[in-house]
Structures are given as structure tokens and as C-alpha cells.
Amino acid sequence: MQSVPDCHAHLDAFPGQEADLLAEAAAAGVQPVVTVGMDVASSRRAVELAAAHADLGAAVGLHPWHFDRDYDGEGSLEPYRELAGCHGVVAISEIGLDTVVVEAPVAVQQEALRWFMELGAAAGIAMLLHQRAPASDLIDVYRALRPPRPAVAIHGFVGDEEDARAFLSEGFWLSFGPSSLGMVGAETVGDGLLRLVPAERLLVESDAHPAADDRPEVHPDVTREVLERIARARGEDPALLAEGIARSFERLFG
Ligand SMILES: [Zn+2]
């Protein structure tokens, strides 16, 4: 079976079960997996987990949902500088813009995002972004960066075709997971949108997390079903699509 990478999972949220979840994923042909941090503690845990498990990469960052709690000017982000340089770190995540849940003004969120993007560029690693704000709010930050800019992917993409085209024309990657396809939550991107993303810019993910509020528990192995659904929407062979996504993943994180 052609394996397919899961570029975004929250394995630290399953203490003691990480090895079992990775074995379950491998049995479904889902590997490698990237586990992402939500704050300093969970970013540290992501680094530890990546050191302890083969086929597991780490991403470090401050999730926008913790922004109001943790962000207090750029000085409050300093711990991430060291974390980004740790062995096994392949991306900055999770960070991004969220004007739906986060109370901090978008200009303040943009200031932190710019700091993280400069960190990603300096460390030579990709950005894997949470994006729940107008596309232009993100593109403005990206374009204002002094080159070299970091590679950018949007995780759990739920925007419309106009957003997708705008991000693709900036050279961004788009990652789709259960929340993009109506498998978790009510949002579903259309088949037309799934067809307009070139395979070399396409990623898939589980966004694995334990059950919370109205969200069911999701494991990394769900990435196999995400792949199959996208292949069906695109009228492509899942094995060939998995190969293309593996190459796309390698270019972004390799
Ligand atoms: Zn996430």
C-alpha cells in the first residue's frame, strides 16, 4: 500500500497512547505523521515525541486559540526560537489568524504571525497555518516579509474557491482534513475546489485530537479515508494521489 503522510495531528493530547496511535496509523498506510504544538509545553512535548518515535516529525507554535492567554508582545514568544531549532522539528505550527474565536485584534495577531514567519524563514522550515480570517489578512503579512520567505501551507482548509486560488497563486500548499470534508463539523469544501489544487500543492491530515465539546475523537489513521474521499472527488486513483501527496509533503517538510 502506498503510504500517505498525515501533516497535522495533536498526538500530545493522547498521553501514553502515542505509540499505539502511530502503529494504528502505520497499519492503515498513514506515515509519516507530524505532531503539532499548541503552546510552549505542548511544543516541547511534540519535540520529545518526535525524538522517541521513528516516522514522527514535530511542529512548534502558539495556537491562535491560546493567543489571548499566552501572547504578551514579541518577548513572550522567545521560547519558540529555541524550540524551532530542535532536532526533528519540520514546521512552525500551530499558528495563524483567527478572527472567529480569538479576541485579540487581527493587527496584533498579524504581529505575532510575522514574528513566527521570520522564525520559520531563519530556521529553514515550513509554516503550517491555522487560517480563520480573510485571506488578504494572511497574504498581507506574507508579502510584507523580506525574502527569503518561508514555505506556507494552510492546514484544515475550509475556505472557498476564491481563497484557494488566492493562496495557490502565492505558492502556498493546501491541506485537507476531516473538518474540510464534513467528517467532523458541518463545513465541507466542494469537489470543484478539491479538483483545482495541483497534486504538488496538496496535503492531507487527520488533525487528530481527543473528543472535546461537539468534536468526536479522531486518530491519525483517518488520513487514509481523507485521501480516499479526495481521490474520489478528483476522479483519481488513491494510490497515485498518495504518491503525489507524499512528494508534495517531502518538498515542503523534507
Ligand atoms: Zn490542529
Side-chain angles (χ1 to χ4, degrees), residues 7-8 93 95-97 113 117 127-133 135 138-139 151-159 163-164 166-168 170-177 180 201-205 252-253:
C7 77
H8 188 105
S93 193
I95 181 68
L97 303 174
L113 178 59
M117 283 199 169
M127 312 295 301
L128 184 55
L129 301 178
H130 172 103
Q131 168 64 21
R132 293 291 177 112
L138 167 57
I139 291 171
V152 174
I154 310 293
H155 112 80
F157 185 82
V158 288
D163 293 339
F167 290 142
L168 289 169
E170 296 297 322
F172 295 0
W173 277 252
L174 299 181
S175 176
F176 299 89
S180 313
R201 285 292 157 78
L202 180 62
L203 297 166
V204 286
E205 64 179 63
L252 187 63
F253 300 117

Side-chain angles (χ1 to χ4, degrees), residues 8 10 36 38 63 94 130 155 205 207:
H8 188 105
H10 294 273
V36 306
M38 306 270 286
H63 196 298
E94 178 152 359
H130 172 103
H155 112 80
E205 64 179 63
D207 206 359

Side-chain angles (χ1 to χ4, degrees), residues 13-37:
F14 295 91
Q17 299 176 58
E18 301 93 342
D20 290 345
L21 293 178
L22 288 169
E24 180 184 70
V30 173
Q31 58 191 157
V33 174
V34 176
T35 187
V36 306

Side-chain angles (χ1 to χ4, degrees), residues 31-56:
Q31 58 191 157
V33 174
V34 176
T35 187
V36 306
M38 306 270 286
D39 56 16
V40 171
S42 99
S43 296
R44 282 212 178 100
R45 186 68 192 134
V47 170
E48 287 167 10
L49 288 170
H53 299 279
D55 259 351
L56 181 66

Side-chain angles (χ1 to χ4, degrees), residues 33-111:
V33 174
V34 176
T35 187
V36 306
M38 306 270 286
D39 56 16
V40 171
S42 99
S43 296
R44 282 212 178 100
R45 186 68 192 134
V47 170
E48 287 167 10
L49 288 170
H53 299 279
D55 259 351
L56 181 66
V60 300
L62 173 60
H63 196 298
W65 293 347
H66 295 322
F67 195 82
D68 293 321
R69 184 194 71 189
D70 285 6
Y71 183 69
D72 185 19
E74 293 181 357
S76 63
L77 302 178
E78 277 305 317
Y80 295 102
R81 198 182 292 283
E82 190 191 333
L83 282 164
C86 288
H87 186 73
V89 174
V90 298
I92 303 285
S93 193
E94 178 152 359
I95 181 68
L97 303 174
D98 190 324
T99 54
V100 181
V101 173
V102 181
E103 284 179 15
V106 73
V108 179
Q109 298 185 46
Q110 286 174 312
E111 168 187 295

Side-chain angles (χ1 to χ4, degrees), residues 157 159-176 189-203 230-236 241:
F157 185 82
D160 59 19
E161 289 194 16
E162 198 182 325
D163 293 339
R165 286 204 174 85
F167 290 142
L168 289 169
S169 67
E170 296 297 322
F172 295 0
W173 277 252
L174 299 181
S175 176
F176 299 89
V189 301
D191 289 358
L193 189 152
L194 293 170
R195 283 195 290 267
L196 72 82
V197 185
E200 64 267 21
R201 285 292 157 78
L202 180 62
L203 297 166
I230 294 176
R232 249 192 326 271
R234 291 163 67 96
E236 290 176 30
L241 185 61

